Amino acid sequence: MSTAPDAIQAEGLIKTFHDPERGEVNAVQGLDLICRGGEIMGLLGPNGAGKTTTLRMLATILAPTAGRARVAGFDVVEEPLEVRRRLGFLSGTTGLYPRLTARETLEYFGRLHGLEGPELERQVERVVDAFDLHAFASGRCEALSTGQKQRVSIARATLHDPEVLILDEPTTGLDILAASDMIRFIEQRREEGRAVLFSTHVLSEAERLCDRIAIVHAGRVLAVGTQEELRARTGATWLEDVYRALVAEVEGQTA
Amino acid sequence: MAPMRADSRGSVVWTVARKELREALRDRQTALTTLVLPLCMYPLLFWVMVQGALVVQGYRESQEVVVGFAGAAPEGALEALGGGPVGAEPEARPDASAGVDPVRLEPLAGTAQEADLRAALEDAGLGLDAALGFGAEGILLLFDGASPHGELAERRVRDRLEDLRVRVRAEALEAAGHDPRVLDRLELETVDLGDAADKGALALATILPLLLATWCFLGAFFPAIDLSAGERERSTLETTRLLPVPRRWVLEGKVLAVASLAILATLANLVAIALSAEGLLRQIDPGGRLLVAFPTVALLAAAPMVALFALFCAALLTAFAGLARNFREAQASLGPLQLVFVLPAMAAILPGVELTPLLALVPVLGVTLAVKSLILGQVLLLEYALTIVGLLVYAAAALSFSVRMMSREGFATASDTIGFGRALRMFRSSRAISR
Amino acid sequence: MSRPAGGLTGVVLRAELRQLLRDRRALFAAVVLPVLLYPLLLGGTRRMEEAAEESMGGRDLELFVDLEGVGAETRAALEEALAGPHTTLTPCSAAGLLEVQDSLPSAHRARLRTHFEELTNGGRTAVVLATEPEGTEGPLMARVFARRKDPLSREASSRGRARLREWSRREGEAQRLELLAVDPAAPLAVEARNIASAEDQGGRELGQFLPILLVFLLVSGGSYGALTVFAGEREAGTLETLLTTPADRGHLVRGKFLCVLAATGAALLSNLAGLALAAAMGSADLPGGALGAGRLLSTAVFLPTVVLLTAVLCLACGRARSFRQGQQLLFPLTLCLVVPTTVVLVPDLEHSIGLGLVPLAGAALSLRDALRGALTPGPTLAMMVSHLALSAVLLRRLAVLLDAERALAGGAVRAEAAQRRLGTRAGHVVGGLAVLLMLAVGTRLQAQAPLGGLLGTLWLVLLPLALIGHLRIGRALGPATPSARLFGGCRPSALVAAALAAPPLAWAVEQLVAHLLRWLPLPSSAAAPSALVDLVEGGSTLTLVAVFALSPAVVEELLFRGTVLGALLRDGRPARAILTSAGLFALAHLSLHRLPPTFALGCVLGVVAWRTRSVWPAVVLHAAYNAWAVLSGTERLPELLADNAVLLRWVGLAALAALPFLGPRREES
């Protein structure tokens, strides 16, 4: 498959919610982002910075209030179906159908992605092998452990070999082993030349994995770059300090 | 600093109950179903019923029925039946016949024999609703009970002919020089010794105990599930289990909260019915036969027992719902329990079933019968005492079951819904951990 | 990668069905339980009823009698008549009870009740007291004293009365034979024969309740499936995943819908099987036993309704955020869905194409006709088409709902919409409260004292509601735009025009009512309370105008036009605001028969208030209209007006037409 130079392109994304209690909420206010194929990009920011909303807009679950975004070369507003065909999405809160078995779940989503017959079987076998699901593939999802569920979910997200993988805090709630499985998996996607965009607030994860990091604060990207670039820009050594420095910079401007 | 200790049972129970109540009433859904729904629903329901009855009545009275007749009609019969000239077009007839319960008479060509009448009635072209054959022996009335106006026609014809019969006899007696009243050998009058509030008591005594029991049960149903199975679902169970006070106290607090919600719901229902029933029923029944007067004193006397029943429902439902993993499963498995509650309550409102010391101890039946007897104005102190003791014992047993259940290891580790049989097995097999 | 659309729907359907079938507990509750339950439940209640009846009829009772007041011969006859199985007669002296009267003060009644209880050892029986007529001629007087609310006393009283009545009938018959050898009424004896076949009769009876029962069963049986398939998806956290698959929302919704349809059908079938089993076991009477295959087959006209109800359930559950929320929605939903089907209770209402278009009501009537074997093609076709079309619309909405976030174009529109809803919501709350207060408090007050209740409801309940509502809305939502400010002044010419506009309005409403009564005849019992009738007939013209014109006009206009319409108009959609306020105004009159005329009146008054930007012309028009209607109804219009009614009608028409243009002058607004 081709690895387009820009797997994800977002320009001036804005998302405004109306909350009955808080009134107008500007979750994302003009966010620009570019993520290339074969690259792992991290969205780093505290809770409420607008990471999840951004990812959901890119995954076509939410519609942007304004701005444009293209995923795998397709516009998320105009051609959502094409986007979804080339997209794998997984979040920390993703669940599984309790009364379907792992294999049935995979087959179900495979079919919804347009796989059929021998092709479907082949892909299911591939992910069952890849994520070592043999032991529990025919057990109901409600009986699986958290780690096992996570593996089934990952298998589900990569079943159609998506060009772009969007992960929303994928390691939340996972134990050390499951989290490291997840990290290995993300690295593997890079090796296969796919783009991975993931959000996290765990700094060590970002430091280890990301080719480039976008620092998100209050619905805006404060800075994008490799870790070295970010360090050079702020003069701080640790990512934590980089973050603080960038936030201080912005707040200084507005104050 | 020494850890703060809450060792007064009352204060723990009270604290828990207050927190749960506050939480429940802040939940829009619970507040809606407990308070707003009954207050809006009953007035609207009554209104729909009353308006429906008025529409049906108006429709019925205005429908004209067509009755064919054959043979020589006795004197006055046709006038009595139709109220207007025979065979005239509706427009030509006076207004009186077009008023309430109009009947149009059509002479038939055939004889007054059943076969001819039946043929006429079955002839769709004639459009008859009933056919009358006047014979020397009497009148044969054929109608099709399944046709649109068949029964309506039959009732009108019969009623009018019956009136005529009475009139004819009276006239005959008068003609013979007798007072027509001699035929009435007896004038019968029924005197009710009850007071004004008693008037409505009969209708209410038959249904109010059932309603109270149902309201209590339904009022406790969702809150009980929310506070036990919901706790597991929201994963706050661990926190609750780790509180440095006996689990029993915590549970008692929860049951108290559920019972309070059930009482609130019952009150809301009662107020809504009391407010809406009387005025609306008067619309279809100006004479006041359906009058509903609330037996206020009896209800006040029954209040403590109803409150205890709410507590009993709360304890029982909380205990059962605690076995379920989440709201959904609890709801599915407790649904059939509704019948177990409603059936005895239904039995209690049947006439002739009365409170005895033995029945007082039957879980739902006892309290329903006790409320019934209070509304009827009876005072059965021993039975009431037994009812109260019974309710307390059952509630305590349900609570103990819950507490013992919660202190089993198997329960703490179970991630799915526990069937009742499994719960019992667990008592034997699973190790008890601290209370 | 493209594939036939049906395939995708099938994939979703199979997966959903598989999940539903694996939920054993739910399966048991929805399918197995009903089959077991109906025989048990129906059999149980029937057994209980029989037992209770038997125990009442077989109860040994002591009936107290006082026959001292009648001659020895009659006394013996009465004693014989009253004697019967399980009844012992005990003589007593009950003359003291003759004092009982409805008008007695309650203390006195209580004393008499005590006397009754002493007389009868506890009062759980009845006393029969017979006396000779006061003159020589006339019937015997027999009084039965009882306490109606006590079941035993009631039973004793009903036994006594039944036996006395039977005796009286026999005596009367004998007397007649003695006086008139030939019964002059003999040729008038009626023998009624029902020529309907068992099938016709059974179909008719079944048609009066089966449609209602079916809707109830469908909603309660299908709800679990709908909840699991839709609300369950959100709860399991799988909705997000599903929405990122490249499957069209329409296919997803259709697959899920078909699954719910299957579940609903299964639940319905098992419920019906349970009922049939109960009937076969003799624990319930089902009149449908004699129905032939043709009629049973023709009940298939109800299938579109099954589809429609399933779609409604899916939509309701698709909106719910959780299983719990969906569950709590179901009860009110069931009630709302069952109400239209009660149309089958209107005896012999003829089905028509118009009725066929009404959701659920049309289907209920078609099913009723099918059971009667009198299916009419036009209405039935209209019903089937409209129900299927409505289902399709609902399903499309459901697909949009699943895609709700995307469907809403942007935040700016949403924020404005939310702002708009606030005024509407306030208007709905105040108007709804007014309706509820009328229902709960107004009817009660008027039942107690017609005139005082009427005035009290207006001035003590509705007026405070209007004023408090207005103040609170103003405080919560800030100052209104000029077009929504209706409490201000107006041009004097508007008031004059409003006063003149009453006669044509009264004439138009009168025509409307006359037309309406043909469709919705008023029952003879729906008469106004006698106190009000007396007032209307006997009161002075001034009183009539004050009570029936001025008082309701001021209060109702301040409430429905000033506060409610004012709040609704904040949204800037005048047509909708006027229609809504008129609807609430009509509902508050609490009568189905008066709904159309009051609605029409509400619309006119709403337009007047909106265009003149003031509530006062509406007050004047309302008062003048009411006054005209009441006075012309009682033929008490001043001669000058009555003689020139036609002229006034034309003048008024011009005034009515001019009213909307008498708003504030440009420089004022």
Side-chain angles (χ1 to χ4, degrees):
Chain A
M1 278 205 200
S2 70
T3 47
D6 290 341
I8 299 175
Q9 273 176 295
E11 283 167 38
L13 277 187
I14 293 178
K15 181 70 192 178
T16 313
F17 290 110
H18 182 82
D19 189 286
E21 267 131 49
R22 290 181 295 165
E24 234 25 20
V25 180
N26 299 310
V28 176
Q29 0 191 357
L31 185 137
D32 302 315
L33 197 71
I34 287 179
C35 177
R36 300 185 198 96
E39 178 183 65
I40 300 181
M41 174 137 193
L43 286 187
L44 192 64
N47 291 337
K51 300 188 304 279
T52 299
T53 309
T54 306
L55 295 185
R56 287 181 158 207
M57 280 192 283
L58 292 175
T60 76
I61 297 172
L62 296 183
T65 308
R68 280 161 52 83
R70 295 171 81 79
V71 173
F74 294 95
D75 192 289
V76 293
V77 176
E78 255 122 60
E79 294 172 291
L81 284 188
E82 294 301 324
V83 171
R84 287 182 215 146
R85 285 206 177 100
R86 292 159 180 82
L87 172 85
F89 181 85
L90 183 62
S91 84
T93 54
T94 298
L96 293 169
Y97 295 112
R99 288 181 300 278
L100 288 188
T101 69
R103 191 179 289 276
E104 282 165 351
T105 307
L106 293 175
E107 282 169 0
Y108 178 55
F109 282 106
R111 289 209 172 88
L112 289 182
H113 273 282
L115 299 173
E116 267 180 296
E119 171 68 10
L120 176 65
E121 263 170 56
R122 219 164 44 78
Q123 293 294 348
V124 171
E125 282 317 309
R126 181 179 65 81
V127 292
V128 166
D129 284 337
F131 298 99
D132 196 18
L133 310 178
H134 292 284
F136 49 83
S138 51
R140 285 198 197 180
C141 289
E142 60 191 348
L144 303 184
S145 72
T146 316
Q148 289 169 334
K149 277 184 189 157
Q150 186 68 18
R151 270 147 76 189
V152 174
S153 281
I154 299 173
R156 194 268 308 153
T158 56
L159 187 67
H160 54 297
D161 194 21
E163 288 169 43
V164 178
L165 200 61
I166 294 181
L167 307 170
D168 187 13
E169 309 207 343
T171 53
T172 306
L174 296 187
D175 62 18
I176 303 174
L177 284 180
S180 72
D181 274 349
M182 175 61 80
I183 288 168
R184 261 218 322 279
F185 157 71
I186 294 175
E187 284 173 336
Q188 193 191 332
R189 293 303 290 175
R190 170 171 55 189
E191 282 153 27
E192 288 166 11
R194 304 289 189 239
V196 180
L197 175 64
F198 83 102
S199 71
T200 185
H201 54 252
V202 183
L203 299 170
S204 63
E205 229 171 71
E207 278 179 335
R208 171 175 169 187
L209 278 171
C210 296
D211 297 321
R212 291 195 306 145
I213 293 175
I215 306 278
V216 186
H217 176 77
R220 286 202 179 84
V221 174
L222 299 186
V224 194
T226 62
Q227 293 175 43
E228 286 71 30
E229 284 167 2
L230 290 176
R231 284 192 191 114
R233 179 174 161 185
T234 56
T237 319
W238 300 103
L239 214 40
E240 196 184 329
D241 300 329
V242 170
Y243 185 79
R244 278 180 193 286
L246 286 169
V247 170
E249 201 177 292
V250 179
E251 312 235 294
Q253 275 166 14
T254 53
Chain B
M1 203 172 100
M4 211 174 77
R5 285 178 51 176
D7 27 27
S8 140
R9 175 178 183 166
S11 83
V12 171
V13 170
W14 175 236
T15 309
V16 173
R18 223 175 33 190
K19 172 248 165 195
E20 297 289 2
L21 259 181
R22 184 178 298 151
E23 205 182 22
L25 287 177
R26 275 192 192 159
D27 176 43
R28 260 172 74 96
Q29 292 288 319
T30 312
L32 273 177
T33 41
T34 310
L35 295 172
V36 182
L37 185 69
L39 283 176
C40 299
M41 194 185 65
Y42 285 103
L44 287 179
L45 214 57
F46 269 104
W47 184 77
V48 168
M49 275 161 47
V50 168
Q51 291 299 315
L54 287 176
V55 167
V56 168
Q57 198 191 354
Y59 184 85
R60 214 168 238 269
E61 285 175 356
S62 70
Q63 288 307 101
E64 185 184 65
V65 296
V66 185
V67 179
F69 67 95
E75 195 186 338
L78 292 181
E79 287 76 4
L81 279 173
V86 171
E89 285 304 303
E91 288 79 20
R93 281 178 295 147
D95 274 351
S97 63
V100 174
D101 293 342
V103 173
R104 180 151 62 96
L105 291 172
E106 292 286 350
L108 297 178
T111 68
Q113 297 302 310
E114 181 173 356
D116 280 5
L117 292 176
R118 185 183 275 265
L121 191 54
E122 281 170 354
D123 180 356
L126 291 175
L128 298 183
D129 298 307
L132 279 172
F134 297 107
E137 304 292 295
I139 303 170
L140 183 62
L141 169 61
L142 287 194
F143 68 101
D144 180 356
S147 85
H149 292 139
E151 281 181 351
L152 209 57
E154 185 243 4
R155 196 162 324 130
R156 286 186 193 167
V157 168
R158 236 215 247 264
D159 285 352
R160 287 176 195 190
L161 287 178
E162 187 54 42
D163 286 350
L164 182 62
R165 268 161 70 92
V166 174
R167 216 165 59 223
V168 165
R169 279 182 187 156
E171 279 165 9
L173 282 172
E174 230 159 325
H178 302 291
D179 184 344
R181 290 199 306 163
V182 292
L183 292 192
D184 301 326
R185 192 68 184 85
L186 190 75
E187 195 180 321
L188 196 59
E189 186 190 354
T190 312
V191 186
D192 183 22
L193 282 149
D195 48 31
D198 275 12
K199 271 193 178 166
L202 170 63
L204 276 175
T206 55
I207 188 122
L208 205 54
L210 172 64
L211 287 181
L212 284 173
T214 318
W215 290 334
C216 268
F217 178 80
L218 290 180
F221 191 79
F222 285 122
I225 293 178
D226 229 16
L227 264 54
S228 50
E231 182 122 294
R232 270 174 103 181
E233 194 170 357
R234 292 188 298 267
S235 351
T236 48
L237 186 67
E238 286 295 323
T239 329
T240 310
R241 287 167 59 88
L242 287 173
L243 292 176
V245 288
R247 297 217 177 102
R248 184 175 187 105
W249 297 0
V250 177
L251 200 67
E252 278 167 356
K254 284 178 177 254
V255 167
L256 199 64
V258 175
S260 314
L261 285 170
I263 292 169
L264 262 181
T266 310
L267 263 179
N269 279 294
L270 200 62
V271 168
I273 280 219
L275 281 182
S276 54
E278 188 182 339
L280 284 168
L281 284 178
R282 252 184 229 257
Q283 285 193 7
I284 44 170
D285 176 42
R289 272 167 297 118
L290 295 170
L291 192 69
V292 178
F294 258 70
T296 320
V297 179
L299 279 177
L300 283 178
M305 231 175 310
V306 175
L308 268 181
F309 180 65
L311 193 72
F312 160 75
C313 289
L316 202 72
L317 285 169
T318 311
F320 278 121
L323 298 175
R325 175 180 52 168
N326 56 27
F327 187 88
R328 198 171 73 102
E329 309 228 323
Q331 204 264 329
S333 45
L334 286 187
L337 202 63
Q338 293 184 9
L339 284 171
V340 179
F341 266 77
V342 172
L343 264 187
M346 269 166 64
I349 61 167
L350 292 170
V353 184
E354 300 203 349
L355 192 62
T356 62
L358 200 64
L359 287 184
L361 290 172
V362 179
V364 184
L365 191 61
V367 69
T368 326
L369 284 174
V371 173
K372 179 174 149 183
S373 80
L374 277 171
I375 293 178
L376 289 177
Q378 298 164 343
V379 182
L380 310 164
L381 291 178
L382 170 69
E383 285 82 353
Y384 296 158
L386 281 173
T387 311
I388 289 170
V389 169
L391 283 175
L392 284 174
V393 167
Y394 297 130
L399 266 176
S400 296
F401 171 79
S402 263
V403 173
R404 286 177 65 187
M405 198 70 232
M406 277 169 80
S407 48
R408 298 280 144 171
E409 261 182 355
F411 180 81
T413 53
S415 64
D416 56 344
T417 294
I418 303 164
F420 194 60
R422 188 163 140 219
L424 292 181
R425 278 201 302 283
M426 210 181 273
F427 274 126
R428 274 179 313 198
S429 59
S430 182
R431 208 154 57 85
I433 41 182
S434 65
R435 290 271 156 121
Chain C
M1 294 267 267
S2 74
R3 45 186 295 130
L8 211 53
T9 305
V11 168
V12 178
L13 171 62
R14 272 198 301 279
E16 295 290 352
L17 269 183
R18 188 176 285 157
Q19 292 184 67
L20 264 191
L21 288 175
R22 281 186 187 162
D23 193 349
R24 267 184 307 154
R25 214 178 291 266
L27 206 61
F28 178 78
V31 179
V32 184
L33 204 61
V35 180
L36 305 175
L37 213 59
Y38 283 104
L40 269 176
L41 194 66
L42 295 175
T45 41
R46 166 168 289 198
R47 200 67 41 80
M48 283 191 320
E49 263 167 32
E50 281 168 2
E53 239 164 65
E54 212 167 273
S55 80
M56 274 324 260
R59 198 67 82 86
D60 285 324
L61 286 175
E62 198 177 6
L63 189 61
F64 287 81
V65 291
D66 179 351
L67 309 174
E68 293 304 317
V70 295
E73 201 179 316
T74 320
R75 190 187 312 162
L78 281 177
E79 270 171 7
E80 196 195 328
L82 281 168
H86 305 291
T87 315
T88 39
L89 299 184
T90 311
C92 68
S93 170
L97 291 175
L98 280 170
E99 283 177 49
V100 182
Q101 257 167 24
D102 275 344
S103 54
L104 280 187
S106 65
H108 196 168
R109 275 184 91 89
R111 258 202 315 283
L112 286 171
R113 205 150 52 230
T114 318
H115 176 56
F116 171 72
E117 277 160 18
E118 282 164 4
L119 210 62
T120 56
N121 302 328
R124 307 209 62 196
T125 180
V127 173
V128 176
L129 172 70
T131 44
E132 288 285 359
E134 275 170 27
T136 44
E137 289 289 294
L140 277 177
M141 188 69 212
R143 290 184 178 82
V144 180
F145 298 90
R147 294 203 66 184
R148 232 173 23 153
K149 73 173 187 180
D150 180 74
L152 277 183
S153 178
R154 211 160 62 237
E155 169 72 15
S157 137
S158 84
R159 274 187 211 175
R161 273 181 304 149
R163 288 169 192 173
L164 285 176
R165 207 173 287 135
E166 173 59 21
W167 175 79
S168 161
R169 196 191 58 77
R170 278 202 317 265
E171 289 282 300
E173 204 101 315
Q175 186 81 17
R176 199 192 67 227
L177 278 176
E178 197 175 298
L179 295 175
L180 306 167
V182 185
D183 182 4
L188 289 171
V190 181
E191 189 196 340
R193 278 182 212 153
N194 188 352
I195 65 161
S197 66
E199 183 181 25
D200 282 342
Q201 200 70 31
R204 185 184 148 87
E205 281 165 30
L206 207 57
Q208 273 166 350
F209 73 88
L210 194 65
I212 303 173
L213 182 71
L214 279 187
V215 169
F216 185 76
L217 290 180
L218 278 168
V219 177
S220 56
S223 60
Y224 190 81
L227 278 173
T228 312
V229 168
F230 284 96
E233 182 102 45
R234 275 172 208 254
E235 213 165 71
T238 48
L239 187 64
E240 209 172 54
T241 315
L242 198 66
L243 292 185
T244 54
T245 60
D248 182 58
R249 310 291 200 254
H251 296 320
L252 293 182
V253 163
R254 247 166 281 152
K256 283 167 171 285
F257 165 76
L258 285 177
C259 174
V260 179
L261 188 63
T264 311
L268 179 66
L269 283 181
S270 76
N271 274 289
L272 290 180
L275 271 175
L277 192 65
M281 286 165 63
S283 46
D285 288 323
L286 273 192
L291 284 194
R295 287 201 194 177
L296 288 179
L297 267 182
S298 66
T299 56
V301 294
F302 203 63
L303 287 181
T305 317
V306 179
V307 175
L308 177 63
L309 284 173
T310 309
V312 171
L313 279 178
C314 288
L315 193 62
C317 296
R319 277 172 180 279
R321 275 193 299 277
S322 65
F323 194 86
R324 174 166 170 273
Q325 201 188 20
Q327 183 67 42
Q328 296 190 323
L329 199 77
L330 281 174
F331 180 57
L333 183 72
T334 311
L335 274 184
C336 293
L337 291 174
V338 166
V339 165
T341 59
T342 50
V343 68
V344 294
L345 296 176
V346 180
D348 311 318
L349 181 66
E350 225 167 289
H351 205 352
S352 65
I353 291 184
L355 278 170
L357 294 176
V358 182
L360 299 176
L365 287 176
S366 281
L367 179 62
R368 180 202 69 180
D369 288 350
L371 290 167
R372 287 178 175 183
L375 212 51
T376 40
T380 303
L381 203 66
M383 179 278 282
M384 293 176 95
V385 170
S386 73
H387 281 56
L388 289 177
L390 189 56
S391 314
V393 170
L394 291 180
L395 281 186
R396 178 156 298 179
R397 271 206 70 109
L398 187 56
V400 172
L401 194 73
L402 270 190
D403 219 2
E405 257 309 314
R406 298 196 55 82
L408 293 164
V413 181
R414 299 190 76 198
E416 201 187 310
Q419 200 63 41
R420 186 152 46 209
R421 277 198 297 273
L422 289 179
T424 306
R425 198 181 296 170
H428 285 169
V429 167
V430 175
L433 262 178
V435 174
L436 271 179
L437 282 172
M438 284 299 292
L439 261 177
V441 183
T443 51
R444 203 174 161 79
L445 287 180
Q446 289 180 39
Q448 243 134 41
L451 181 59
L454 182 72
L455 295 175
T457 314
L458 286 171
W459 293 94
L460 301 180
V461 180
L462 295 188
L463 188 65
L465 176 68
L467 299 181
I468 294 171
H470 180 66
L471 289 179
R472 290 209 53 174
I473 292 172
R475 207 171 300 153
L477 304 184
T481 54
S483 61
R485 222 177 286 144
L486 301 181
F487 277 106
C490 65
R491 281 156 79 168
S493 56
L495 296 180
V496 175
L500 288 175
L505 196 58
W507 179 81
V509 170
E510 201 179 299
Q511 299 303 309
L512 177 68
V513 169
H515 192 71
L516 186 75
L517 281 180
R518 250 182 279 161
W519 295 98
L520 213 61
L522 205 63
S524 53
S525 71
S530 56
L532 287 187
V533 174
D534 290 349
L535 183 67
V536 169
E537 278 164 8
S540 72
T541 305
L542 208 62
T543 326
L544 281 192
V545 170
V547 170
F548 295 108
L550 279 179
S551 151
V554 171
V555 176
E556 289 176 8
E557 290 313 304
L558 288 182
L559 176 60
F560 288 103
R561 249 58 66 184
T563 304
V564 174
L565 182 64
L568 294 168
L569 276 176
R570 282 167 179 261
D571 299 350
R573 283 183 291 187
R576 184 181 289 216
I578 289 169
L579 288 178
T580 312
S581 69
L584 289 165
F585 172 69
L587 274 179
H589 284 80
L590 300 183
S591 158
L592 210 56
H593 290 91
R594 289 174 66 190
L595 202 66
T598 43
F599 179 73
L601 193 63
C603 287
V604 172
L605 291 167
V607 170
V608 167
W610 167 58
R611 289 293 305 188
T612 58
R613 304 257 174 93
S614 168
V615 75
W616 302 113
V619 170
V620 170
L621 176 56
H622 193 160
Y625 162 82
N626 276 17
W628 184 276
V630 168
L631 292 182
S632 68
T634 49
E635 300 188 345
R636 273 202 274 182
L637 270 184
E639 224 167 90
L640 188 66
L641 297 181
D643 291 347
N644 296 307
V646 178
L647 177 70
L648 284 174
R649 206 179 292 156
W650 286 108
V651 172
L653 203 60
L656 195 59
L659 253 181
F661 303 100
L662 295 176
R665 286 188 192 87
R666 213 162 281 262
E667 62 267 28
E668 288 172 40
S669 63

